[in-house]
Every structure is written in C-alpha cells, then in structure tokens.
C-alpha cells in the first residue's frame, strides 16, 4: 500500500538510499534536506518524490515542511529521522557549543520532527517511525562523546515512544549502522578506511543500500509486530551490545 513518507537528511548517503528504497516499495517520499537543495531535488525527480526543506532544529521550518507535504499528499505515515551532524573532538577539549550543536541536531531534531508527525499517526492509528542511530551509540566512540551520546539517546527515545504508541499501532525502531561507505568515509585517509574495515568481522564497510533495505522493512506493513527494536547493520562490529 502506498504511504506518505518523510526522510530527513535525505539529499545524500544513507538518507538518499533510504528515500530511494521507500519509493521502490511504493511509497510517496518527501526528500528532506537542510541545505543541499540541488541533490535533493534531483533525487526527488528520479524517484517521483517531493523535495522539502526542513531544518530539524527549527520548529518553524518543521511546520512549513509538514504543511507542504500534507497539502500535497496528506499526512505523514512513515517517518525516518536520518538528519545528523558530527563535530568530533576529545571530551577534554570539547566546548559547550560543540556538544550542544550535535545533540540539538541528532537527538532534539528527531524529537522535534517526531512530535509533529505523531498527531496524524495517532489519529489514523497507523505509523512507522525509524530513527537512524549508530553503532557508536551502543559501544561508545573515542573522540565522539557528543555524537555517541546523541545516538545512545535515540535508543531511549525510541523505546519510550514504542511503549507509549503501541496501542495506536504506531511502531518505533532504531537502525544502528556501523562503518558505511559514504562521502563522509570517502573523505578519510585510505589508511583510516582500511583500519575501520579491519575492525568489522565481515571485513568491509557496509553500503547505504544495505542500511536502506533494513529501514524499508521496518517501514513496511510486514513489520507490524516489530517495535522498540535496535537493529545493528554493522557487519558484526557491535556484537553483544
């Protein structure tokens, strides 16, 4: 069945792959972007979707995005919170703004967008929410206390929402990727990329499409009995966490 879906941070990388996978599954997909308008518009054109500007830390921007989607297609029934940033540094040297910026986007942003989407989902007694976490949120990551804390916070947010929303047939899950081959990892040195891959039991980085396939399943009607789950897509990197 065709559903209205919104993916934040969807102009490239994992978000773009998720948007494409949801469209392939028959959904009408709003491709959310903060600043990368051109790639978002191109992706939207390619998948028959809708490019929507949405800054997840700004309630006015969120409201405008939802109003645009709702007036075009109707209420959002599938939400993927993928928007995220990094601003790495050791805790000893991390300033308050460096901490706040990452938490505001990666954790507060997911809460902000979710609460706006929930009104429609609860009313129609149907919803799929997937938060894109990280293996770093389960294992910790040196030099990324802000990012790991935000991604760990998504787990608590997700599991609490799953308990609150179960009676309304709204599911909420986390997909936790490990090292994934994206523009972000491509910018690392070849040596660092080799080191990352060597830590993974499967011996390689994952692809955005491999993450997207799991997200698409959790967003489907077939996943109606899966909620409050944290599903790693990490080649075994975070086993036991």
């Amino acid at each position: 069945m065709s559903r209205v879906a919104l993916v934040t941070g969807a102009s490239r990388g994992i978000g773009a792959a998720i948007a494409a996978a949801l469209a392939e599954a028959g959904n009408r997909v709003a491709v959310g972007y903060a600043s990368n308008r051109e790639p978002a518009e191109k992706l939207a054109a390619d998948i028959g979707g809708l490019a929507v500007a949405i800054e997840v830390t700004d309630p006015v921007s969120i409201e405008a995005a939802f109003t645009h989607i709702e007036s075009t297609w109707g209420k959002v029934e599938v939400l993927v919170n993928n928007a995220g940033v990094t601003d790495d540094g050791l805790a000893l040297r991390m300033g308050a703004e460096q901490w706040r910026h990452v938490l505001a986007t990666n954790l507060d942003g997911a809460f902000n967008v979710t609460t706006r989407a929930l009104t429609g989902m609860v009313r129609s007694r149907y919803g799929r929410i997937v938060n894109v976490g990280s293996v770093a949120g389960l294992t910790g990551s040196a030099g990324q206390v802000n990012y790991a804390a935000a991604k760990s916070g998504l787990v608590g947010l997700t599991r609490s929402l799953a308990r609150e929303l179960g009676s309304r047939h709204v599911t909420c899950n986390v997909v936790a990727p490990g090292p994934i081959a994206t523009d972000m990892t491509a910018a690392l040195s070849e040596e660092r990329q080799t080191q990352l891959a060597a830590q993974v039991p499967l011996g390689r980085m994952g692809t955005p499409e491999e993450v997207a396939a799991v997200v698409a399943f959790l967003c489907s009607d077939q996943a109606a009995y899966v909620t409050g789950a944290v599903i790693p897509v990490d080649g075994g990197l975070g086993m036991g966490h």
Side-chain angles (χ1 to χ4, degrees):
M1 182 177 177
S2 176
R3 303 281 184 184
V4 176
L6 166 62
V7 184
T8 66
S11 63
R12 59 181 181 174
I14 292 172
I18 291 169
L22 290 178
E24 180 71 23
N27 299 287
R28 290 170 289 176
V29 182
V31 178
Y33 69 92
S35 55
N36 295 324
R37 190 180 83 181
E38 283 187 20
E41 288 180 343
K42 182 181 184 308
L43 175 61
D46 289 345
I47 66 174
L50 183 70
V52 178
I54 180 166
E55 172 49 67
V56 300
T57 60
D58 178 8
V60 174
S61 173
I62 293 168
E63 184 57 40
F66 272 83
T67 299
H68 184 29
I69 297 165
E70 289 164 352
S71 63
T72 306
W73 287 331
K75 59 184 172 291
V76 172
E77 299 161 297
V78 174
L79 171 64
V80 181
N81 287 306
N82 175 70
V85 295
T86 55
D87 192 353
D88 298 347
L90 295 174
L92 276 170
R93 300 193 195 97
M94 185 171 290
E97 181 51 39
Q98 200 174 353
W99 168 269
R100 191 64 247 147
H101 171 53
V102 172
L103 269 288
T105 302
N106 297 18
L107 183 55
D108 297 2
F111 173 78
N112 296 340
V113 179
T114 298
T115 50
R116 176 57 180 82
L118 280 181
T119 311
M121 291 181 179
V122 168
R123 193 172 292 140
S124 60
R125 299 179 69 84
Y126 180 93
R128 297 283 183 269
I129 302 165
V130 177
N131 293 318
V132 178
S134 169
V135 67
L138 309 177
T139 64
S141 179
Q144 290 191 306
V145 291
N146 47 6
Y147 182 78
K151 294 300 190 180
S152 183
L154 279 179
V155 175
L157 171 69
T158 298
R159 287 184 161 156
S160 299
L161 285 171
R163 291 184 183 279
E164 289 184 16
L165 300 169
S167 64
R168 303 290 183 174
H169 308 291
V170 176
T171 66
C172 194
N173 295 287
V174 173
V175 169
I180 305 296
T182 62
D183 292 346
M184 202 181 289
T185 50
L188 300 172
S189 69
E190 200 169 311
E191 182 185 8
R192 181 66 184 130
Q193 291 183 53
T194 303
Q195 286 173 347
L196 277 172
Q199 293 169 10
V200 178
L202 286 180
R204 65 173 178 86
M205 289 194 194
T207 67
E209 290 72 24
E210 287 171 323
V211 178
V214 178
V215 174
F217 166 69
L218 292 172
C219 290
S220 72
D221 289 348
Q222 285 76 21
Y225 203 56
V226 183
T227 196
V230 179
I231 302 182
V233 186
D234 63 1
L237 183 62
M239 275 192 282
H241 293 275

